[in-house]
Amino acid sequence: PEIDALAACNLSGHGFLRRSWYAAGSNPARARTLILRNPSGAPLAAIPTVPFGPAIAGARKVPGPYWPLRAPLISPDCSAFELAQALGHPAAAQLGSVWRVGPARAGDPSTERLVAAAQLAGWTVLRRPAGTSWVIDCTGGEWPRASTAKRLARIERRLAQVGTVGWRHVRGGAWSDAVLDELGAVEAASWIAATTDGSGAKFLTPQQRAAWRTALADPVIADMLCATLLTVDGRAVAFSFDLDDGPVRYGIAGSYVSALAKHEIGKLANHRAVSDAIAAGQTCIDLGCGNSGYKSEMGAVASYDLADLLFVRNRTAARLLARVWGAPLELRAAITEAARG
């Protein structure tokens, strides 16, 4: 219950970081959550973790089914000093001697406070780059441009020669196992199934679909998650799977049937999803890391950096891990937080 309470009011304002989000794809028997409460019992912070890497290492990580800020929850009322005391408490041993947070947004206030607290508590924080996120500003005027809209209309008319074109939008109570199976069928007929091991898919295997089923069991998350499906003769041939969190839409996944690739069905689904987001009042589309060209073509620009953080209790171990993970962060984050009181 403390996790959902903090999701409704946390330093970073991320409402999707609920219990069901952390639980998606995790083994409940191996999950642990460190809770910090104030004297009256109200939660100040929650750090859920699950095993990470080889079992012999005993490392843990903050879980999540996809990249948008795999981060703990911290109340705006929780200071770095209170959090540092929690990280130095015997109960914090459940975190293990090494634990990971990320990919996380550089400059995210919750992550910044966590880093400051960890450094105050004597932990070393290692950082490695995790890419740059590409973002579309939906407040910048007409979207798509008139010329782009005409081109998309021509593409859809050509697709109509193959079969009857339709669009569906799924959210909230419309989610079902059948919809997840449809998304999985598109991935099974896509390049990701034909040319990769499938680990990057989101719905291809029963295990991948089960993870999202766990998240969607929470009606709050079900209302945040949405899918735009392009169909031909009633069969889904392309989709965009996204998450709305306040004014931001996070692009989680998208795919299309390879046999219809020449009809640019992926482009149609991507642009339709952005149009749906603008109609829903979203002001920003966060498409995540990597850009093969289609993101900039849609109007996205490189925005903020992401980082993978490793929190290491032992300084000798930190020096060894720094060789393969990344350099330790300087202590000035803790000093800056201390100066704020």
Side-chain angles (χ1 to χ4, degrees):
E2 292 89 346
I3 291 177
D4 287 352
L6 285 167
C9 181
N10 62 82
L11 193 59
S12 300
H14 296 303
F16 66 90
L17 292 177
R18 294 173 60 83
R19 180 184 180 278
S20 61
W21 182 265
Y22 291 118
S26 302
N27 182 343
R30 305 179 72 188
R32 305 171 187 165
T33 302
L34 182 67
I35 301 287
L36 170 62
R37 298 181 179 87
N38 66 15
S40 66
L44 290 176
I47 307 177
T49 61
V50 295
F52 161 56
I56 192 171
R60 303 185 68 81
K61 68 176 181 179
V62 175
Y66 196 55
W67 72 269
L69 302 177
R70 287 196 182 111
L73 288 160
I74 300 174
S75 166
D77 299 327
C78 182
S79 72
F81 296 101
E82 290 170 309
L83 195 51
Q85 286 182 312
L87 292 176
H89 192 278
Q94 67 174 273
L95 294 172
S97 57
V98 178
W99 52 289
R100 173 189 178 190
V101 174
R105 180 172 182 160
D108 175 73
S110 294
T111 305
E112 292 287 296
R113 188 156 300 180
L114 179 65
V115 167
Q119 291 176 332
L120 286 169
W123 293 73
T124 300
V125 184
L126 308 179
R127 179 191 185 277
R128 70 179 179 189
T132 299
S133 197
W134 288 73
V135 172
I136 298 174
D137 179 2
C138 299
T139 64
E142 181 186 26
W143 198 98
R145 295 189 302 269
S147 58
T148 302
K150 289 180 180 178
R151 184 184 176 196
L152 293 171
R154 287 196 298 271
I155 294 171
E156 191 165 332
R157 285 196 297 271
R158 288 198 298 269
L159 181 61
Q161 297 173 9
V162 177
T164 302
V165 176
W167 291 97
R168 286 165 51 208
H169 191 73
V170 179
R171 187 192 292 274
W175 283 109
S176 66
D177 287 350
V179 173
L180 296 178
D181 288 344
E182 281 187 281
L183 302 182
V186 172
E187 289 189 332
S190 74
W191 64 271
I192 198 167
T195 62
T196 76
D197 62 3
S199 60
K202 301 297 176 288
F203 307 99
L204 186 59
T205 69
Q207 294 78 15
Q208 289 168 335
R209 294 193 292 274
W212 290 109
R213 192 179 302 114
T214 297
L216 290 164
D218 181 343
V220 175
I221 295 292
D223 281 338
M224 291 180 167
L225 289 170
C226 57
T228 300
L229 287 84
L230 170 62
T231 63
V232 175
D233 290 338
R235 174 199 175 199
V237 296
F239 71 83
S240 178
F241 178 63
D242 310 293
L243 181 144
D244 290 345
D245 187 36
V248 180
R249 170 167 291 191
Y250 291 100
I252 294 180
S255 195
Y256 57 87
V257 172
S258 295
L260 294 175
K262 67 179 182 180
H263 293 281
E264 301 183 86
I265 54 178
K267 183 189 298 289
L268 287 175
N270 289 335
H271 280 77
R272 183 61 173 252
V274 175
S275 296
D276 287 347
I278 293 172
Q282 309 305 112
T283 60
C284 173
I285 313 294
D286 193 332
L287 297 176
C289 294
N291 178 26
S292 59
Y294 83 93
K295 292 179 183 178
S296 53
E297 183 181 320
M298 290 174 64
V301 297
S303 182
Y304 60 87
D305 292 329
L306 289 154
D308 249 332
L309 303 177
L310 206 62
F311 294 74
V312 187
R313 188 188 300 272
N314 182 277
R315 292 184 181 180
T316 300
R319 285 194 294 270
L320 294 173
L321 287 168
R323 299 175 184 175
V324 295
W325 192 271
L329 292 175
E330 297 180 7
L331 288 174
R332 65 181 176 223
I335 295 171
T336 300
E337 191 69 31
R340 292 174 182 166

